[in-house]
């Protein structure tokens, strides 16, 4: 009798959390659709967009640059060690470049930006919600979706590919520095090898990924902020949710995008 | 004064989960009149204002503006101003931009210089110095933030205006200034106002009519002059601030 109670209790709780998950997904889809539809309807707030581009794009440069620089370096060491097992050390430049541009650049930048920007968007909007600033916007004839959400999503979607482009260059540079100064590659040969093997599709696929990741980060930040609970605790929870959800969604969508962009 | 109702509430109900905040509120605010809503804290006065604005969706009941349910909320909000209980200033913007926020939007948008000038004038009316205009909300005291919120609410000379606890956190002299200002706005601009307050001197200074909210309903509604002789034990206890009476002190 007791066992049955426990089992039914456990099943009920699984059911409850499943329902909660589906209702959250439903709300997220409605939120995303509404955000996209507001992108195309006036009024627009170009000043807000510019401010967010600066905040999301420009100020993320150091984080993304450092991440890709060290990763590019480590990648060169690993590929050299792996390549040495079948006398293929010469693949280092091209594999570093391809790995960076197609995969590590966008994913690492996405995750770093999720931590930096996603969290700050969620905390800012969550605080605005908790302190009634979002209600105040409405009473001042300003649509919160247009004024707060659209500029952030647009800015992140535009800024991420640019960030990743710069991150890619720095990452390849990291590989180059390690290759030339640690692994004794010839500098000119390293550059030639990189340029010869890299295709345009490698770069553009990474930038498409970056745009999608930027959209995800800002969407999850704004969505969590708008649905923040009350008080400081609510805002803290919203921030955590934004970062965790955006990170998982970046990794999952990265797999899907890779399948779609490089059908085997 | 005309007696057309500007705002009418019929049986408005709102619950948050098992917390039944409003249990059928009936209320009428005449055009160009000033209604003060009193009631213990947590009785749903702020929620009531948000229901009228449509920021909070009521569960049941009807809210009429000018005798009809609101079709075009944006139109209504363009002649509307509100002071929020917590100020609700935008902390990323300097004070002048907060005050002139609405006037820096849309087609007839003011230039930066004009907006600053207008903001300084509105700040003066709520007893704040011109320097305040260039500070950020976080640099101000609670009472100053409240007054900036008030300046923002009146900046575009709205025809309907809500004040949620305008004098809470102000010293008695400043409270007197604000009471006078609110009265002036109603008389001079002919605005329709709803004010929430706990301060009986505010009630007497601002109100044409008073409504007392208790247990999710309007307990008493009448002219401000009748409040002392309401004959209602709840109203008497509230306006005299007695600890013992029909209103429980634990709520
Ligand atoms: N968004 C909300 N979610 C849940 N409960 C709320 C919300 N807003 C207000 N409440 C609850 O409604 C009740 C009335 O709140 P409020 O209108 O702020 O009271 P007051 O009369 O002091 O202004 C309180 O119990 C409060 O906890
Ligand atoms: Mg309140």
């Amino acid at each position: 009798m007791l066992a049955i109670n426990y089992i039914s209790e456990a099943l009920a709780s699984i059911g409850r959390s499943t329902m909660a998950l589906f209702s959250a997904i439903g709300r997220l889809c409605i939120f995303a659709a509404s955000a996209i539809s507001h992108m195309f309807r006036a009024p627009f707030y170009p000043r807000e967009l510019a401010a967010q581009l600066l905040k999301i794009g420009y100020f993320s440069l150091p984080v993304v640059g450092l991440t890709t620089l060290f990763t590019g370096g480590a990648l060169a060491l690993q590929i050299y060690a792996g390549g040495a097992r079948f006398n293929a050390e010469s693949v280092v430049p091209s594999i570093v470049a391809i790995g960076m541009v197609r995969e590590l650049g966008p994913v690492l930048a996405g995750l770093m930006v999720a931590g930096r920007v996603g969290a700050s968007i969620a905390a800012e909007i969550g605080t605005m919600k908790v302190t009634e600033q979002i209600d105040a916007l409405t009473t001042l004839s300003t649509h919160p979706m247009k004024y707060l959400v659209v500029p952030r999503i647009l800015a992140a979607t535009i800024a991420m590919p640019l960030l990743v482009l710069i991150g890619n260059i720095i990452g390849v540079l990291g590989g180059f520095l390690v290759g030339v100064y640690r692994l004794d590659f010839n500098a000119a040969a390293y550059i030639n090898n990189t340029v010869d093997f890299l295709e345009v599709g490698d770069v553009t696929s990474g930038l498409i990924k970056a745009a999608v990741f930027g959209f995800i980060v800002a969407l999850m930040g704004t969505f969590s902020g708008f649905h923040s609970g009350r008080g400081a605790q609510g805002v803290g929870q919203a921030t955590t949710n934004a970062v965790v959800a955006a990170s998982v969604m970046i990794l999952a969508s990265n797999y899907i995008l890779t399948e779609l962009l490089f059908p085997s | 004064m005309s007696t057309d109702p500007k705002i009418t509430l019929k049986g408005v109900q709102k619950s948050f989960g098992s917390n039944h905040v409003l249990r059928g509120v009936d209320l009428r605010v005449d055009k160009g009149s000033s209604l003060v809503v009193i009631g213990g804290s947590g009785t749903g006065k702020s929620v009531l204002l948000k229901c009228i604005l449509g920021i909070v969706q009521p569960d049941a009941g009807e809210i009429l503006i000018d005798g009809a349910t609101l079709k075009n909320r944006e139109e209504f909000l363009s002649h509307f101003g509100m002071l929020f209980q917590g100020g609700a200033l935008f902390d990323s913007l300097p004070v002048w931009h907060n005050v002139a926020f609405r006037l820096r939007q849309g087609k007839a948008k003011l230039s930066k210089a004009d907006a600053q000038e207008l903001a300084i004038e509105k700040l003066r009316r709520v007893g704040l110095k011109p320097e305040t205009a260039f500070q950020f909300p976080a640099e101000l005291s609670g009472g100053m933030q409240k007054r900036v919120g008030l300046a923002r609410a009146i900046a575009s000379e709205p025809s309907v205006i809500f004040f949620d606890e305008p004098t809470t956190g102000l010293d008695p002299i400043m409270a007197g200034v604000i009471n006078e200002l609110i009265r002036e706005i109603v008389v001079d601009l002919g605005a329709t106002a709803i004010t929430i307050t706990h301060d009986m001197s505010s009630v007497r200074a601002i109100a044409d009519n008073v409504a007392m909210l208790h247990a999710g309903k309007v307990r008493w509604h009448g002219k401000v002059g009748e409040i002392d002789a309401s004959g209602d034990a709840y109203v008497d206890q509230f306006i005299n601030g007695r600890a013992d009476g029909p209103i429980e002190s634990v709520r």
Side-chain angles (χ1 to χ4, degrees):
Chain A
M1 209 46 223
L2 209 59
I4 291 176
N5 277 345
Y6 276 127
I7 291 169
S8 75
E9 187 56 37
L11 286 177
S13 103
I14 292 172
R16 266 196 300 276
S17 32
T18 314
M19 293 293 285
L21 179 66
F22 280 116
S23 96
I25 291 174
R27 268 182 290 142
L28 177 61
C29 291
I30 293 169
F31 186 87
S34 150
I36 291 170
S37 84
H38 278 292
M39 278 178 197
F40 300 101
R41 284 182 286 149
F44 305 107
Y45 295 96
R47 263 169 192 281
E48 293 303 306
L49 178 64
Q52 292 303 324
L53 276 172
L54 193 69
K55 206 164 153 186
I56 296 173
Y58 185 70
F59 291 119
S60 297
L61 266 176
V63 178
V64 171
L66 283 172
T67 311
T68 50
L69 180 71
F70 288 117
T71 307
L75 202 56
L77 290 178
Q78 293 283 23
I79 292 166
Y80 186 82
R85 290 178 195 166
F86 34 92
N87 295 323
E89 292 93 335
S90 63
V91 298
V92 168
S94 53
I95 305 275
V96 165
I98 290 174
M100 206 66 219
V101 165
R102 277 168 60 154
E103 193 67 27
L104 288 173
V107 171
L108 288 176
L111 293 177
M112 296 312 282
V113 169
R116 208 192 83 85
V117 172
S120 101
I121 291 178
E124 186 182 13
I125 293 189
T127 305
M128 289 187 76
K129 155 123 194 216
V130 168
T131 56
E132 299 179 313
Q133 291 179 50
I134 292 184
D135 292 341
L137 269 183
T138 309
T139 66
L140 291 165
S141 303
T142 303
H143 202 301
M145 212 70 182
K146 290 189 200 296
Y147 186 77
L148 296 175
V149 177
V150 167
R152 283 168 175 75
I153 292 185
L154 273 181
T157 312
I158 296 168
M160 263 299 278
L162 298 175
L163 269 176
V164 166
L165 196 61
I166 298 169
N168 285 342
I169 294 169
I170 297 175
V172 170
L173 177 73
F176 171 84
L177 292 175
V178 169
V180 172
Y181 294 104
R182 268 282 277 117
L183 307 173
D184 293 329
F185 275 82
N186 176 283
Y190 192 104
I191 292 172
N192 280 338
N193 200 329
T194 302
V195 176
D196 285 349
F197 281 93
L198 205 59
E199 289 170 11
V200 175
D202 297 328
V203 180
T204 50
S205 71
L207 300 187
I208 292 171
K209 285 181 176 182
V212 173
F213 299 164
F215 179 84
I216 290 174
V217 167
L219 177 71
M220 292 318 295
T222 50
F223 176 76
S224 308
F226 259 79
H227 293 88
S228 160
R230 306 174 85 198
Q233 214 168 10
V235 176
Q237 187 64 51
T239 309
T240 310
N241 288 350
V243 176
V244 172
S247 305
V248 172
M249 284 169 71
I250 283 173
L251 295 172
S253 65
N254 178 53
Y255 176 77
I256 296 168
L257 284 169
T258 309
E259 285 277 14
L260 291 175
L261 291 164
F262 305 103
S264 46
Chain B
M1 188 192 293
S2 76
T3 51
D4 288 343
K6 180 74 191 175
I7 301 170
T8 315
L9 278 74
K10 291 181 183 163
V12 171
Q13 298 185 20
K14 178 68 194 175
S15 303
F16 296 101
S18 61
N19 181 6
H20 304 294
V21 180
L22 304 178
R23 302 164 182 246
V25 172
D26 299 301
L27 203 60
R28 171 194 159 125
V29 192
D30 288 337
K31 196 169 275 175
S33 77
S34 165
L35 173 76
V36 169
V37 178
I38 58 175
S41 52
T43 48
K45 303 181 298 297
S46 299
V47 170
L48 183 71
L49 294 190
K50 288 183 187 172
C51 283
I52 299 174
L53 294 179
I55 293 174
V56 167
Q57 219 53 48
D59 301 330
E62 249 188 326
I63 294 168
L64 307 176
I65 309 284
D66 293 321
T69 51
L70 204 52
K71 295 249 163 35
N72 188 350
R73 184 159 76 124
E74 307 205 336
E75 217 285 316
F76 172 71
L77 289 175
S78 67
H79 310 285
F80 174 82
M82 170 149 180
L83 165 65
F84 284 82
Q85 187 169 354
L89 301 179
F90 306 127
D91 37 32
S92 58
L93 302 177
V95 164
W96 70 265
H97 198 168
N98 265 281
V99 173
F101 189 86
R102 185 198 289 278
L103 304 157
R104 288 280 283 160
Q105 315 272 338
K107 297 201 176 62
K109 146 176 168 175
L110 289 187
S111 73
K112 187 171 171 183
D114 289 348
Q116 286 178 348
E117 194 181 321
L118 181 133
I120 288 170
E121 161 60 19
K122 300 292 170 186
L123 289 170
R124 192 191 55 74
R125 291 194 72 184
V126 297
L128 288 170
K129 296 201 188 85
E131 300 92 273
T132 319
F134 301 95
Q135 290 180 299
F136 279 87
E139 298 170 278
L140 307 179
S141 75
M144 290 165 87
Q145 292 183 10
K146 202 73 182 245
R147 285 183 279 153
V148 174
L150 188 61
R152 181 174 71 182
I154 63 172
S156 59
E157 315 210 324
S159 61
V160 179
I161 182 158
F162 293 174
F163 303 102
D164 197 343
E165 305 199 8
T167 57
T168 307
L170 302 186
D171 63 71
I173 299 167
M174 201 41 80
V177 171
I178 298 303
N179 288 338
E180 245 172 64
L181 175 67
I182 292 177
R183 192 64 225 171
E184 219 176 281
I185 287 164
V186 174
V187 174
D188 293 356
L189 298 179
T192 309
I194 303 183
T195 308
I196 293 173
T197 185
H198 296 191
D199 176 358
M200 285 314 295
S201 62
S202 284
V203 175
R204 294 179 205 283
I206 297 171
D208 293 318
N209 299 298
V210 180
M212 176 166 175
L213 206 60
H214 180 75
K217 291 192 169 181
V218 174
R219 170 85 208 175
W220 184 83
H221 187 187
K223 293 210 178 318
V224 65
E226 299 162 359
I227 194 167
D228 292 308
S230 66
D232 186 297
Y234 288 78
V235 175
D236 276 342
Q237 186 191 349
F238 191 90
I239 64 176
N240 296 310
R242 283 195 297 262
D244 49 312
I247 305 175
E248 300 129 48
S249 45
V250 180
R251 274 171 269 139

